[in-house]
Amino acid sequence: MKYLNLKMLALGFTALAFTTTNSFALSWDVSLWGKRRAFTEHVEKLAELVDKKTDGKFKLKISYGGLSKNKANLDGISKGNFEMAQFCAGYHRDKNPTITVLELPFLGVDTLDKELAVSKAVYAHPATQKDLARWNATLLMPTPLPQYNIAGVGDAPAKLADFKGMSLRATGGIGKAFKTIGAKPVSITATEVFTSLERGLISGVAFAQHAHMAFKTVEKAKWWTTNLNPGSVNCPVVVNTKALEGLKKEYKEALLSSVDEALTHYLENYKTKTIAKFEDVLKKNEIKKVAFADAEIEAFKKAAAEPAKAAWIKDMTAKGLPAQELYDLVITTLKK
């Protein structure tokens, strides 16, 4: 009996030691939305790398919509409801005005690599960091997206004038650009587009390729514009600043040192898999490709780009932001 008690006691100490050792493991909640797709591959890769580098002691627990609505992710970060999140600047332009420079139409960003470069440059600017600091947020990495184009229902537009009166899901600077050619931009979240398209509330959706597939617009669309390329949205991944500062040194190093590799994985996946898959979907669903004459595209740029730029600089300068400096930073980065 004494032997049995000693044995049980030994087992108890072993269990206690195991619990104590694992109590040092840390898990961060990450708020995304929709489902796993090209748009979230860098976050998925980041979680994989962090887990590997820390032998499972630091994990990123990814949730697709279970922690917050997409438009509330920045608020959730501010309140400390979760430690990491992704959001799009156009969802709440007043809360992240500095980043909206990256959503101006026709900036000349025509590759994912350029989108990554200009995003990094703007994110590193002191004004941008101060802007996000108001929400206890630290910018971790961008989500480089290709230029948006429209998937729509009904008769395919043969010329830009055909967009007059058309209701389009187009946010931020892209929405303002389409307004210059008579379209009616509607700002709804990505998760609402399929139902809105199905019910006839909108006639077209401006998205990057991955989103057209992820949110099933290609299941309803009859046509797809190939060369409008008015711009893109900017959707950073941020972390709660206090949570980041409170990380153990080795965990923080594991997280930050994995960002570039996660972004490389993201770019490779988008370029080699997503674009090819999208082309297959267009063919399979017999979606008509629509291209517009160069002269029309140039006229579109002239009508949309300069007025949007001037209005943005005037508005942001009035708010006390170095607007011209931020815009120039984008242009000089592109030239490099």
Side-chain angles (χ1 to χ4, degrees), residues 26 47-59 250-255:
L26 178 66
E48 176 188 318
L49 292 168
V50 167
D51 182 75
K52 183 177 180 181
K53 289 181 179 181
T54 63
D55 295 323
K57 293 179 181 178
F58 179 27
K59 293 181 178 292
E250 57 265 40
Y251 292 175
K252 187 174 183 179
E253 184 178 341
L255 177 68

Side-chain angles (χ1 to χ4, degrees), residues 278-293:
F278 184 72
E279 289 298 321
D280 289 340
V281 170
L282 290 179
K283 186 176 181 179
K284 178 184 177 182
N285 293 350
E286 299 181 345
I287 296 173
K288 180 181 179 180
K289 290 184 177 182
V290 178
F292 299 92

Side-chain angles (χ1 to χ4, degrees), residues 298-310:
E298 286 304 313
F300 189 15
K301 289 181 182 179
K302 187 175 181 180
E306 191 58 36
K309 164 197 163 185

